[in-house]
Amino acid sequence: MSANAAAVNAADQEFLQRQMLAVGQRAREAARAISAADPGVKNAALFALADLLVSRESILLAENARDMQAGREKGLDAALLDRLELTPERIRAMADGVRQVAALDDPVGAISNWSYRPSGIQVGKMRVPLGVVGIIYESRPNVTADAAVLCLKSGNAAILRGGSEAIRSNLAIGACVTQALRDVELPADCVQVLDMTDRAAVPIMVGMSEYIDVIVPRGGKGLVSAVAEHARVPVIKHLDGICHVYIDDAADRSKALAIAVNAKTQRYGTCNTMETLLIAHSRAADLLPDLAAAYREAGVELRGCPRAQALVDDMASASDDDWATEYLAPILSIRVVDDLEQAMAHIRQYSSQHTDAIVTEDLVKARRFLREVDSSSVMVNASTRFADGFEYGLGAEIGISTDKLHARGPVGLHGLTTEKYVVMGDGHIR
Amino acid sequence: MSANAAAVNAADQEFLQRQMLAVGQRAREAARAISAADPGVKNAALFALADLLVSRESILLAENARDMQAGREKGLDAALLDRLELTPERIRAMADGVRQVAALDDPVGAISNWSYRPSGIQVGKMRVPLGVVGIIYESRPNVTADAAVLCLKSGNAAILRGGSEAIRSNLAIGACVTQALRDVELPADCVQVLDMTDRAAVPIMVGMSEYIDVIVPRGGKGLVSAVAEHARVPVIKHLDGICHVYIDDAADRSKALAIAVNAKTQRYGTCNTMETLLIAHSRAADLLPDLAAAYREAGVELRGCPRAQALVDDMASASDDDWATEYLAPILSIRVVDDLEQAMAHIRQYSSQHTDAIVTEDLVKARRFLREVDSSSVMVNASTRFADGFEYGLGAEIGISTDKLHARGPVGLHGLTTEKYVVMGDGHIR
């Protein structure tokens, strides 16, 4: 690079830095207003947004068409273009999602564990917003609306940084959010959709710990690990979903077949899809041939340990890498284990601590599995595919966390809040 | 440094790294045993420890005397030597503290929000240990026992790294913990007291995210910020306690005097001590002279804003630095403010978000202060000195957090645990 180009780049970088700082300051200021807003006002903004998304359908479709056109010219693949596309149905679904969030209980201000202490003071914990939430996402424009309303409902200001491919769609949805906020006289800066699609904006954003309280990356592993690597701001994230189903000696045959097939084949690209099937040695000869037939009918490629290979014709051999891989594809690794002990040891070694399940009718083993498997969701006799904010009754989901602190598993409105102690006295001193 | 010395240093560093790695691996392995231990077994270990601390009093005193002697030779100041010293009373208090923790409810395994979902699955959240907790502390040897029992009770393995001045005392207490664990057949590695007092061990320890789930630094600001700076492991910390009391227009006179004096003078070196008094303009002329007299009688130096200076003779002028300083000493800054608005703006700018209090009889203002002040403890008509795990009924305290995520305010047993989702089905699939 010439000295001149380097100087221009440095100037660009400084300009970007200043811009991002201004975004952060505006968000911090707006956070005060949204954190103190009454539930009715926040809900009115959400309903206004839902109506605007529908009434501006033609604008959203037109802006999205420009993104789609640019994407086609850039040679984006079919899957990416599908994620990027808005249709009238998708816009209606987005508006419905907004109304569903409005209908949820407002988490802010609830006081729990309110008690008198021996000293005479009263102590409780009040649920309060985190402050400013930064969302970094990829090509789905509906995330703009989803993330905005979850942040608003939980009393947080939001900074939304979507992918460059969806920029026109995102800004058009952002304009609806701005209008909805204005309609109820909340500051427009409560939700800022960044028009800075420069890659350099991300490391700046995740370093702004003075202005952003938590970052939620939503996207593929590349995005999430890039965010986590540079972050000075706490991150709510999961990197991998290497989920296991263990079919125990004491499993019910039909439950085992149903769960093992569903956990793999209901959807392939989701993080709660089973990637490795573990099966007790005593049940393998009976179950594996039927399971293999079902998987093959669904088009799933099987890779097994030697004991599994011995029971199923033409099964490829699973390498050590297979046990550690999130396929996100119609591929399944299968291992025959001696017993629960060996199954849990395998899970300890390879699980990404997302979701693991046991199929068993034995209460003692079920209790042990629930207690000892250290994953964000641990299941008995249910498909791993249930690990989801909607299925768990959170009403909505901003992401899934495989970290242990703060939020673990599907993260809903509560994960975007924290608690502070509140103390009431009558002149009490120590 | 000569090339030879550098090579020796690099070899030392590598040796230390290997040692710390082995410590981490042993802790991770031991964590499995302690996380699954029954409450009765953990309590038996705690009672055994309490008895051992008392029965080995003479050993503890002898080892502590060696630390004290070395400290005197190194020229440690009186305050540090006092913190370092063990006496028969302090040993008894330590043993009593251990028994108190044993008497607390066991947090592990409790399932909350257990509910049926429309799909038919049951979903709940089970409280589980974090895994491995690292504690980094300074010269008080009693922290060794306190931290060990809080970690054990909450089902975590602990790695304890105390200051070099207290190393003999810490190892002697650690030997009691080891014996107590052996007595109940728990792995001795559930609590490892490091004999590596090399400063270089700290950055290695706080980078071991594979083996340590959370770090709790306990000590001065220098220690805490050094830990936070290098940490790859999540840290539960507070850096500053710049706490405020605001005396509102509608304050009761006697409550205001009692709280403002107590919050400053009950103890000077604690993080929940008031450092800045804010007082409404309408009450300043009446209250400040009496308050100033009380502070001066207690030996507190006063530094005020111009309006405060106008009401009290010989008051020094407070600089901008004063508002941002945690004195930890008999010094108080005083500012006269127009009203609640200006008081909250001052708190927003200067508070370390530890503990802030309002004195008022006005319900509307009390509600606003509780809702809008963004600190880990927010109080009405009570002394900031109440911000403490024991006063709040947590039974014990591993530290105080001014961070927002995971744990906020005084951190007890719950702060050393997390929750995972547990799901029970009967063959349910999606």
Side-chain angles (χ1 to χ4, degrees), chain A residues 117 130 255 262 370 373 376 378 380-381 383 385 391 393 404 406 418 420-421 423 425-428 430, chain B residues 117 130 255 262 370 373 376 378 380-381 383 385 391 393 404 406 418 420-421 423 425-428 430:
Chain A
R117 300 294 311 147
L130 286 172
K255 292 177 193 172
N262 179 265
L370 285 180
V373 172
S376 74
V378 189
V380 175
N381 294 337
S383 169
R385 289 279 297 122
E391 294 293 339
K404 288 185 180 179
H406 185 66
T418 180
K420 67 184 178 190
Y421 282 98
V423 174
D426 200 25
H428 287 80
R430 278 182 80 180
Chain B
R117 300 294 311 146
L130 285 172
K255 292 177 193 171
N262 179 265
L370 285 180
V373 172
S376 74
V378 189
V380 175
N381 295 336
S383 169
R385 290 279 297 122
E391 293 293 338
K404 288 186 180 178
H406 186 66
T418 180
K420 68 184 178 190
Y421 282 97
V423 175
D426 200 26
H428 286 81
R430 277 183 80 181

Side-chain angles (χ1 to χ4, degrees), chain A residues 32 35-37 108 117 119 121 123 126 128 130-131 213-214 229 232 234 255 258-259 262 266 348 370-373 375-383 385-386 388 390-394 404-406 408-410 418-430, chain B residues 32 35-37 108 117 119 121 123 126 128 130-131 213-214 229 232 234 255 258-259 262 266 348 370-373 375-383 385-386 388 390-394 404-406 408-410 418-430:
Chain A
R32 285 173 48 210
S35 77
V108 176
R117 300 294 311 147
S119 61
I121 60 170
V123 180
M126 184 191 280
V128 291
L130 286 172
D213 295 290
V214 66
E229 193 188 331
R232 300 295 304 167
K255 292 177 193 172
I259 290 170
N262 179 265
Q266 201 232 352
R348 215 160 33 240
L370 285 180
R371 178 86 185 256
E372 295 179 30
V373 172
S375 298
S376 74
S377 288
V378 189
M379 302 187 169
V380 175
N381 294 337
S383 169
R385 289 279 297 122
F386 281 108
D388 173 283
F390 290 92
E391 294 293 339
Y392 285 180
L394 307 184
K404 288 185 180 179
L405 268 68
H406 185 66
R408 195 177 192 196
T418 180
E419 288 182 310
K420 67 184 178 190
Y421 282 98
V422 290
V423 174
M424 298 275 282
D426 200 25
H428 287 80
I429 59 173
R430 278 182 80 180
Chain B
R32 284 174 47 209
S35 77
V108 177
R117 300 294 311 146
S119 61
I121 61 170
V123 179
M126 184 191 281
V128 292
L130 285 172
D213 295 290
V214 69
E229 194 189 330
R232 298 295 304 166
K255 292 177 193 171
I259 290 169
N262 179 265
Q266 202 233 350
R348 213 158 37 237
L370 285 180
R371 178 85 184 259
E372 295 181 28
V373 172
S375 298
S376 74
S377 288
V378 189
M379 303 186 168
V380 175
N381 295 336
S383 169
R385 290 279 297 122
F386 281 108
D388 173 284
F390 290 93
E391 293 293 338
Y392 285 180
L394 307 184
K404 288 186 180 178
L405 268 69
H406 186 66
R408 195 177 192 196
T418 180
E419 288 182 310
K420 68 184 178 190
Y421 282 97
V422 291
V423 175
M424 299 274 282
D426 200 26
H428 286 81
I429 60 173
R430 277 183 80 181

Side-chain angles (χ1 to χ4, degrees), chain A residues 246 248 339-345 347-348 358 360 362-375 378-380, chain B residues 32-33 35-36 38 126 128 420 422 424:
Chain A
Y246 165 58
D248 179 55
D339 52 17
L340 175 63
E341 251 0 287
Q342 201 176 31
M344 291 201 300
I347 290 170
R348 215 160 33 240
I358 185 173
T360 190
D362 182 312
L363 181 61
V364 174
K365 288 181 180 165
R367 271 170 54 100
R368 275 201 62 193
F369 193 88
L370 285 180
R371 178 86 185 256
E372 295 179 30
V373 172
D374 189 21
S375 298
V378 189
M379 302 187 169
V380 175
Chain B
R32 284 174 47 209
S35 77
D38 283 333
M126 184 191 281
V128 292
K420 68 184 178 190
V422 291
M424 299 274 282

Side-chain angles (χ1 to χ4, degrees), chain A residues 97-129:
Chain A
V98 173
R99 291 193 187 97
Q100 279 166 24
V101 171
L104 296 174
D105 285 341
D106 194 301
V108 176
I111 298 184
S112 61
N113 296 95
W114 193 236
S115 67
Y116 271 101
R117 300 294 311 147
S119 61
I121 60 170
Q122 281 177 291
V123 180
K125 294 184 93 168
M126 184 191 280
R127 193 160 283 285
V128 291

Side-chain angles (χ1 to χ4, degrees), chain B residues 3-4 32 45 48 62 77 106 111 159 170 205 216 259 272 280 368 396:
Chain B
N4 199 23
R32 284 174 47 209
D77 68 30
D106 195 301
I111 298 184
I159 300 174
N170 289 341
M205 185 170 162
V216 186
I259 290 169
N272 57 15
R368 274 200 64 193

